[in-house]
Amino acid sequence: YGYTDAEDRTTGERLLRVPEHQGAVVLTWTGERADAALTVRGESEQADSDPSTFARADRKGFVTADLAAGYA
């Protein structure tokens, strides 16, 4: 988990594309012939710019999950 309080010192606004909260959790399992890992990662809402108007906008937060496995 990481908390980032990033702001532009001139304007006092949040920096673009820097989430205030972000984190990840990894669960791993190892067996005799197989192994697996589950990674869950997330970021909070963050300031961004609208690509069509270049005005400030908020980008929604997200959570992703990745599953990896191996077999010998």
Side-chain angles (χ1 to χ4, degrees):
Y1 172 80
Y3 170 76
T4 307
D5 186 15
E7 67 177 39
D8 184 320
R9 288 185 181 186
T10 305
T11 65
E13 292 183 328
R14 290 180 11 206
L15 289 180
L16 297 180
R17 296 174 207 90
V18 179
E20 188 173 20
H21 303 277
Q22 60 185 336
V25 174
V26 179
L27 300 173
T28 59
W29 173 80
T30 303
E32 204 170 296
R33 295 188 57 154
D35 56 55
L38 172 66
T39 304
V40 179
R41 179 179 173 280
E43 290 185 359
S44 65
E45 180 181 273
Q46 48 196 285
D48 204 346
S49 59
D50 185 325
S52 61
T53 63
F54 299 104
R56 287 185 73 91
D58 285 332
R59 184 169 66 180
K60 292 185 179 188
F62 65 88
V63 174
T64 62
D66 299 309
L67 178 63
Y71 181 79

